Amino acid sequence: MDGNGRWAKQQGMARVFGHRNGVKAVRETAEASAELGIEYLTLFAFSTENWNRPAMEVNALMKLLVDTLSKEVETLNENDIRLEAIGDLDKLPAKSHKALLKGIEDTKTNSRMTMILALNYSARWEIVEAARKMAIEVKEGKLDARQIEDKTFENYLTTKNYPDPELMIRTSGEQRISNYLLWQLAYTELYFTDVLWPDFRKQHLYEALIDFQSRERRFGKTSEQLA
Ligand code: FPP
């Protein structure tokens, strides 16, 4: 969800104004995704590296998260959307952590779509954590190192209960992965748009999905093998 800061700057406003308007785009994207039958929507809301931003911006983002989660649980329930989160959640400020856990608890029986917030998340953190957990289990004799395969590794990732993403959308003209779901994106289609996140609306999601539909997903095979 990139481009909030630039969007605010264009309007002569503080960066936080962009984040606040980014919430509208989150609402539209979540609603449109659920309407279309998309089962999993993951939003990169705060990266491990985002702690390095000015304290004022970090605090405002954390407050925005608490306020939004408290306000939007009703909308999530109306849309039958279950909230979940990935990342180093224990290190979030206590208030944000509490609001997040409450949002997850209050929506846990919803089943139309799962909306996963990546919070205090970075893919390298996740991969290192998985390696650490596996190493400990090997040492304790609970895991046989010779039996470790792709599938084993996946079970130690924060996304173990979710399928790999089919499409990744990055806004604001940046064409990077920026430490996001590095393992899971192996065969994901990437879509980049110049639209700044606060301007992202249903129509932009539809454009991304139409583009996605024209892609040939070969998963390493040849075109002829797919026919
Ligand atoms: C990146 O744009 C955006 C963020 C670091 C924050 C995204 C968070 C929200 C939109 C709030 C979402 C709230 C919920 C509950 C999901 P940037 O600040 O890096 O923009 P720039 O590249 O223009 O500086």
Side-chain angles (χ1 to χ4, degrees), residues 1-6 15 19 22-23 26 43-45 50 53 57 61 64-65 68 117 197:
M1 298 187 285
D2 214 358
N4 295 348
R6 276 164 284 167
R15 298 177 56 81
H19 297 315
V23 174
V26 170
L43 298 165
F44 202 178
N50 285 152
R53 293 189 172 202
E57 184 174 344
L61 267 171
L64 183 64
L65 183 73
T68 309
L117 293 185
W197 180 251

Side-chain angles (χ1 to χ4, degrees), residues 11-194:
Q11 331 245 336
M13 302 293 278
R15 298 177 56 81
V16 177
F17 185 69
H19 297 315
R20 245 181 263 133
N21 279 276
V23 174
K24 285 185 200 161
V26 170
R27 206 179 290 127
E28 283 239 352
T29 306
E31 203 179 272
S33 302
E35 283 165 2
L36 291 171
I38 289 170
E39 288 177 87
Y40 295 89
L41 171 71
T42 309
L43 298 165
F44 202 178
F46 195 88
S47 77
T48 314
E49 291 79 18
N50 285 152
W51 295 112
N52 297 323
R53 293 189 172 202
M56 201 181 84
E57 184 174 344
V58 171
N59 294 340
L61 267 171
M62 288 299 150
K63 186 171 178 318
L64 183 64
L65 183 73
V66 178
D67 293 349
T68 309
L69 286 172
S70 318
K71 260 193 249 153
E72 301 289 341
V73 163
E74 217 177 289
T75 324
L76 291 174
N77 283 331
E78 277 164 18
N79 286 284
D80 199 11
I81 299 173
R82 178 172 63 159
L83 179 73
E84 301 213 335
I86 55 170
D88 196 358
L89 307 176
D90 292 340
K91 297 211 179 79
L92 290 172
K95 262 192 182 172
S96 313
H97 195 201
K98 203 172 147 201
L100 180 67
L101 294 185
K102 183 163 169 24
I104 292 172
E105 177 63 27
D106 292 351
T107 61
K108 71 176 181 200
T109 55
N110 296 339
S111 58
R112 186 157 68 138
M113 185 179 82
T114 303
M115 184 171 102
I116 305 151
L117 293 185
L119 274 171
N120 195 17
Y121 173 86
S122 91
R124 286 185 177 176
W125 162 81
E126 175 183 43
I127 290 169
V128 169
E129 273 302 297
R132 192 200 322 276
K133 283 183 199 145
M134 283 195 296
I136 292 171
E137 291 194 13
V138 167
K139 199 170 164 216
E140 290 173 347
K142 292 180 189 156
L143 181 67
D144 181 350
R146 284 161 303 200
Q147 307 277 321
I148 296 174
E149 298 174 353
D150 276 25
K151 284 272 163 238
T152 327
F153 201 86
E154 274 167 16
N155 276 327
Y156 289 82
L157 295 172
T158 60
T159 50
K160 65 169 187 277
N161 296 323
Y162 316 128
D164 287 342
E166 291 183 282
L167 172 67
M168 187 203 73
I169 301 173
R170 183 164 188 168
T171 53
S172 90
E174 307 289 357
Q175 301 196 6
R176 287 188 294 277
I177 306 291
S178 296
N179 216 351
Y180 185 54
L181 299 175
L182 292 178
W183 172 282
Q184 298 86 343
L185 293 179
Y187 284 101
T188 302
E189 296 297 325
L190 307 180
Y191 179 86
F192 300 101
T193 168
D194 287 337

